[in-house]
Amino acid sequence: MEMVEEGYVDKIQKKKMKKQSMKGQITPLTGKNYKQLLSRVEARNAKLEQLREKDAGKARQVEEKMKWTNMLYKAEGIKIKDDENMLRTSLKNKEKRRAQRKKNWNQRSENIVEKMQQRQDKRRKNIQRRKQVKTEKKKDKARKKGRVLPEDLKKATV
């Protein structure tokens, strides 16, 4: 019973710790999901622009607050990714890498299929050759015993 309660308390404590770790109700722009980060940065910039049009002082305060929170996150060792141009280039590079990997995978799968086909063809040819050799041996044995085969008759008439 006590274990369950401690686990429950831990969940509550975790939530509190998470709230405390978020500086100024701004979640840090971190992670590798560049598309999401870019959309968040663009949305933030759009909000700031709207705020600038309405109230320049308030916009300056919000900007200052964001700068300070980012500085605090950086001081903790968290990498903040809020540069739009860098995010765009990173996203483009990620997409290029993904496309390259896909291309390589397709090429590899095509090569595998091609090699399998070549092996099957080779196997088929070898089986046919063995079959032909076997029939030739049988015919030679039959000729040795003195039998006359239909193809021998055709050769004799021509």
Side-chain angles (χ1 to χ4, degrees):
M1 206 71 166
E2 288 176 34
M3 296 281 280
V4 176
E5 287 177 23
E6 283 178 20
Y8 186 69
V9 171
D10 284 342
K11 281 186 180 179
I12 292 170
Q13 283 177 344
K14 279 183 185 177
K15 279 188 178 179
K16 283 184 182 177
M17 291 294 285
K18 192 174 181 183
K19 273 192 176 180
Q20 286 174 354
S21 69
M22 280 178 35
K23 311 282 187 268
Q25 289 122 9
I26 299 172
T27 53
L29 292 163
T30 57
K32 297 221 180 218
N33 190 351
Y34 298 122
K35 203 176 270 186
Q36 183 191 32
L37 287 172
L38 188 62
S39 66
R40 281 177 62 192
V41 167
E42 285 173 347
R44 191 175 74 177
N45 289 345
K47 274 186 182 178
L48 273 173
E49 283 299 317
Q50 284 180 348
L51 201 59
R52 275 195 197 108
E53 288 172 8
K54 290 180 182 176
D55 189 11
K58 181 90 171 169
R60 231 179 288 114
Q61 280 181 343
V62 171
E63 259 183 82
E64 199 67 31
K65 185 179 179 184
M66 282 195 296
K67 282 181 185 175
W68 275 107
T69 52
N70 285 345
M71 291 293 276
L72 288 170
Y73 282 128
K74 283 179 183 176
E76 284 182 10
I78 298 171
K79 289 187 179 177
I80 303 297
K81 298 171 183 173
D82 60 347
D83 187 8
E84 235 178 298
N85 295 327
M86 291 281 277
L87 286 170
R88 277 203 180 89
T89 54
S90 304
L91 184 63
K92 195 189 285 183
N93 290 339
K94 195 174 183 180
E95 292 297 324
K96 276 184 186 175
R97 279 195 302 273
R98 181 178 283 154
Q100 188 66 34
R101 269 194 231 113
K102 191 174 183 180
K103 183 181 170 188
N104 289 345
W105 182 257
N106 289 339
Q107 209 170 24
R108 184 174 179 269
S109 58
E110 284 173 12
N111 285 344
I112 289 170
V113 168
E114 200 173 300
K115 282 184 180 180
M116 281 177 66
Q117 192 63 42
Q118 285 174 351
R119 284 182 190 144
Q120 284 175 349
D121 291 344
K122 190 177 176 183
R123 183 173 182 271
R124 218 177 276 119
K125 283 178 185 175
N126 286 340
I127 290 170
Q128 259 185 339
R129 191 171 38 85
R130 273 193 232 119
K131 209 175 187 181
Q132 205 172 9
V133 167
K134 204 174 187 181
T135 54
E136 285 299 319
K137 279 185 182 178
K138 280 185 181 178
K139 286 178 185 177
D140 286 344
K141 272 188 182 178
R143 283 187 191 112
K144 220 175 193 182
K145 287 183 179 177
R147 294 213 173 91
V148 179
L149 300 172
E151 54 222 39
D152 293 339
L153 290 172
K154 285 180 186 172
K155 284 180 183 176
T157 56
V158 172

